[in-house]
Amino acid sequence: MSILESPSADRNKGPIWDVLSSFVMPTLSLSENDTLRVLEVAAGCGVHTQHFVSLLIDSGFGQRLQWHPTDPEAQCRDSIDLRVNTHPSIDKAIHLRNCVVPASSLTLDDEGAIEMRQSQSAKEKVWEDLTLIMCINMIHISPWGATVGLMKLAGLSLKKGGILYCYGPYKVNGAAVPSNM
């Protein structure tokens, strides 16, 4: 097991956080006692998990945050868990371990989350009443059925007032910047 790197995730974590903190977070319907329950779809190597959770802890969400990173690839899940457990700041590592659950597998197809259909276990409960679902850099590289499944998952799993936040290099009027594809 090793920590995987992603130069693009390192480059875009700041701009994504700016949108999350300035626009998304203020629109969430959270009282002072509510837990911010986040499902991160296609979390990759964990750069965003570590970065966003660290900043949310710094913003005062430490005791009220449950972050659920997912990825279909075992090596990515291992990397996420290693990032969470080996943060350079011991204090931050303790907070991260308290807020981030071990990464789990999530595979989407045109019917939704395969894992939810295969199991009526506690995992299904984890994906209920979510405040926020984040999907970064998945839609443009996955089969269309995965995007359909993401929409179905959001419809089933987000609580009232919850948000599905997607980020990626999308085409506008059929054109995309070549470096984004």
Side-chain angles (χ1 to χ4, degrees), residues 40-53:
E40 183 182 9
V41 176
C45 66
V47 167
H48 293 133
T49 303
Q50 185 182 49
H51 185 71
F52 300 148
V53 172

Side-chain angles (χ1 to χ4, degrees), residues 23-84:
F23 298 102
V24 176
M25 297 301 293
T27 64
L28 293 174
S29 303
L30 288 174
S31 73
E32 288 186 22
N33 297 322
D34 287 341
T35 298
L36 175 60
R37 299 189 68 237
V38 181
L39 177 68
E40 183 182 9
V41 176
C45 66
V47 167
H48 293 133
T49 303
Q50 185 182 49
H51 185 71
F52 300 148
V53 172
S54 294
L55 291 171
L56 285 166
I57 289 168
D58 292 345
S59 300
F61 277 97
Q63 300 300 319
R64 302 182 304 123
L65 176 62
Q66 291 177 1
W67 193 278
H68 302 270
T70 67
D71 201 277
E73 302 291 329
Q75 67 181 15
C76 289
R77 294 190 303 271
D78 290 343
S79 179
I80 294 164
D81 293 340
L82 281 169
R83 278 185 190 279
V84 167

Side-chain angles (χ1 to χ4, degrees), residues 4-131:
L4 304 174
E5 299 298 332
S6 173
S8 63
D10 274 323
R11 280 191 309 273
N12 66 27
K13 68 186 181 188
I16 294 171
W17 172 253
D18 290 344
V19 171
L20 276 172
S21 62
S22 299
F23 298 102
V24 176
M25 297 301 293
T27 64
L28 293 174
S29 303
L30 288 174
S31 73
E32 288 186 22
N33 297 322
D34 287 341
T35 298
L36 175 60
R37 299 189 68 237
V38 181
L39 177 68
E40 183 182 9
V41 176
C45 66
V47 167
H48 293 133
T49 303
Q50 185 182 49
H51 185 71
F52 300 148
V53 172
S54 294
L55 291 171
L56 285 166
I57 289 168
D58 292 345
S59 300
F61 277 97
Q63 300 300 319
R64 302 182 304 123
L65 176 62
Q66 291 177 1
W67 193 278
H68 302 270
T70 67
D71 201 277
E73 302 291 329
Q75 67 181 15
C76 289
R77 294 190 303 271
D78 290 343
S79 179
I80 294 164
D81 293 340
L82 281 169
R83 278 185 190 279
V84 167
N85 290 309
T86 60
H87 192 280
S89 161
I90 293 172
D91 200 37
K92 188 71 71 154
I94 292 168
H95 284 298
L96 282 168
R97 285 193 294 270
N98 289 335
C99 297
V100 181
V101 302
S104 61
S105 180
L106 177 64
T107 309
L108 298 167
D109 65 11
D110 59 359
E111 295 181 38
I114 293 172
E115 290 81 358
M116 285 178 75
R117 292 195 308 273
Q118 293 176 343
S119 171
Q120 298 296 322
S121 69
K123 184 180 288 187
E124 190 168 316
K125 298 242 186 274
V126 167
W127 296 341
E128 291 177 354
D129 294 322
L130 296 167
T131 316

Side-chain angles (χ1 to χ4, degrees), residues 102-166:
S104 61
S105 180
L106 177 64
T107 309
L108 298 167
D109 65 11
D110 59 359
E111 295 181 38
I114 293 172
E115 290 81 358
M116 285 178 75
R117 292 195 308 273
Q118 293 176 343
S119 171
Q120 298 296 322
S121 69
K123 184 180 288 187
E124 190 168 316
K125 298 242 186 274
V126 167
W127 296 341
E128 291 177 354
D129 294 322
L130 296 167
T131 316
L132 176 65
I133 297 177
M134 294 185 51
C135 182
I136 299 171
N137 288 328
M138 180 202 83
I139 292 174
H140 69 289
I141 60 170
S142 62
W144 179 245
T147 300
V148 172
L150 175 65
M151 299 304 141
K152 288 184 178 181
L153 176 67
L156 291 171
S157 299
L158 285 169
K159 71 178 195 170
K160 184 176 180 175
I163 293 176
L164 170 61
Y165 175 67
C166 299

